[in-house]
Amino acid sequence: MDWIIPKSVRQIGNSKGKCKIYVEDYVISFAKRIVKEAGGKEAAGVLLGHRFYQSHEKIFQISGMVVVHSFAERTSDSFSSDVWTDIYTDMKENFTDVDVVGWFYTGNRGEKNKAGQGLLELHRRNFSDGDKLLFCCEPLKWQETFFCYENSQLNPQPGYYVYYEKNPEMRHYMMEEANRIVHIVEQEDDRVLRNIRGVLKENEEKKKKKESGERKSYGLVAVVLLLGVLLGAAAWNNKNSLSRLNEQLHGIQKEIQKEFHKDTIMETIGNGVVTPQAVNTPMSTTPAAVSEITPAGISGN
């Protein structure tokens, strides 16, 4: 394939050197979005396009980029087969006639105009076959640098070119990726809502159990109070019955005593003693007759 220089081009920095880099504007926009969404964490993408050799110059034309999913959660600097499967699947579904020409990185291993040993190790393990680029940007700000891999080292480039084309494939991929991110966020929000609902439901069940227990306690207390009232009433009734019984017994005792006193009244006449008689029996003599009796008469008789 012969290289054709893009019609609309803007130069960034110094273009001197044996390596010339042309990047389509949508790729730059997508890289900036990755940096923003990463929020200071590590993130990466794979640069797609073509590599040309012309007049002893290496020319890279980058027309697309796909995201390396779960890059920050990786457990090794070497991409797994699953990661590469996802990369090539995205390439096949969204782009035509492109090759891997390098990769993009943002995170804590990058330094301004310098690729640290960590980035060099990542590049060697995953992109060392052939001449491939590293497009690096510091996190949380847009200070980008391109590196060419030469003599087993990553050498910073003084500048590059941004070119402008319609590029419908890259625009479509950006839209699909944006929808995927939104879907992930919605799923995360839904998961959070489900967790919140679960917590609220659990609290509601605990509240119901507590209220049920309190109602049972209140019911038990009410039963105990009712029993106490009934027992108290029974005791009060018994007390009243005993009081009435005692009163009746006292009354009977008084009546008996009265009858006893009526039957044993003693009468005295003068200095003499008269044998007991019933109180209700009438006397045969009157007081006048009694007064006429004298001791002489008694002795004479």
Side-chain angles (χ1 to χ4, degrees):
M1 178 186 297
D2 295 332
W3 179 68
I4 301 175
I5 186 171
K7 295 179 180 179
S8 179
V9 177
R10 179 167 61 95
Q11 181 176 329
I12 305 295
N14 193 341
S15 60
K16 292 180 179 181
K18 295 182 179 181
C19 183
K20 290 187 177 181
I21 302 168
Y22 291 81
V23 186
E24 207 281 317
D25 182 59
Y26 278 118
V27 178
I28 296 294
S29 299
F30 190 47
K32 289 181 178 179
R33 195 171 81 184
I34 291 176
V35 174
K36 183 178 179 181
E37 291 175 352
K41 297 180 180 179
E42 286 189 310
V46 175
L47 302 175
L48 308 176
H50 299 282
R51 183 174 61 245
F52 302 94
Y53 294 93
Q54 189 176 40
S55 301
H56 305 288
E57 288 182 339
K58 286 185 294 187
I59 300 174
F60 292 89
Q61 185 172 350
I62 305 169
S63 58
M65 180 168 66
V66 294
V67 177
V68 179
H69 299 294
S70 302
F71 178 80
E73 288 78 27
R74 70 191 186 282
T75 57
S76 173
D77 285 341
S78 298
F79 292 173
S80 65
S81 58
D82 292 337
V83 171
W84 281 114
T85 298
D86 290 339
I87 291 171
Y88 285 118
T89 300
D90 286 345
M91 289 174 58
K92 183 178 180 180
E93 292 179 351
N94 297 278
F95 300 92
T96 57
D97 192 24
V98 291
D99 299 319
V100 175
V101 296
W103 65 299
F104 169 78
Y105 173 84
T106 181
N108 52 22
R109 294 194 183 189
E111 299 178 19
K112 186 176 180 181
N113 296 327
K114 182 180 179 180
Q117 187 63 33
L119 284 179
L120 182 59
E121 186 65 24
L122 275 167
H123 191 92
R124 286 174 176 172
R125 291 194 179 191
N126 302 286
F127 302 97
S128 60
D129 55 327
D131 297 330
K132 289 185 173 61
L133 298 173
L134 168 60
F135 183 22
C136 188
C137 182
E138 295 183 33
L140 304 179
K141 55 185 177 181
W142 186 251
Q143 292 184 358
E144 73 282 13
T145 305
F146 275 95
F147 296 87
C148 282
Y149 186 67
E150 298 172 334
N151 300 322
S152 300
Q153 296 294 326
L154 287 170
N155 299 317
Q157 302 302 301
Y160 60 94
Y161 297 94
V162 176
Y163 72 95
Y164 302 87
E165 289 182 352
K166 292 183 179 180
N167 199 0
E169 293 181 341
M170 186 62 202
R171 183 173 61 183
H172 177 266
Y173 176 76
M174 290 173 65
M175 293 176 62
E176 291 294 323
E177 188 65 18
N179 292 334
R180 187 185 69 84
I181 296 298
V182 170
H183 182 64
I184 291 175
V185 172
E186 289 177 349
Q187 287 181 332
E188 184 66 19
D189 292 342
D190 185 59
R191 183 185 66 81
V192 173
L193 289 175
R194 287 199 302 270
N195 290 340
I196 293 174
R197 292 192 189 101
V199 172
L200 293 176
K201 184 177 180 181
E202 183 179 355
N203 291 338
E204 186 68 20
E205 290 177 354
K206 289 181 179 179
K207 183 179 178 181
K208 289 180 179 179
K209 289 181 180 179
K210 182 178 180 181
E211 291 176 353
S212 177
E214 290 177 351
R215 285 196 295 270
K216 290 180 180 178
S217 299
Y218 294 154
L220 182 60
V221 171
V223 170
V224 172
L225 291 176
L226 180 60
L227 290 175
V229 171
L230 294 176
L231 291 174
W236 179 258
N237 291 333
N238 292 336
K239 181 179 180 181
N240 291 336
S241 299
L242 290 174
S243 297
R244 287 195 298 270
L245 181 61
N246 287 332
E247 290 177 357
Q248 292 175 359
L249 291 175
H250 284 298
I252 294 171
Q253 185 178 9
K254 287 181 180 180
E255 292 295 331
I256 294 173
Q257 289 177 353
K258 286 181 180 180
E259 292 296 330
F260 179 78
H261 286 301
K262 287 180 181 180
D263 294 338
T264 58
I265 294 175
M266 304 294 291
E267 289 188 0
T268 59
I269 301 174
N271 294 326
V273 177
V274 182
T275 59
Q277 294 182 356
V279 176
N280 294 330
T281 304
M283 297 293 293
S284 60
T285 59
T286 62
V290 172
S291 62
E292 291 178 357
I293 299 174
T294 60
I298 295 173
S299 60
N301 292 331

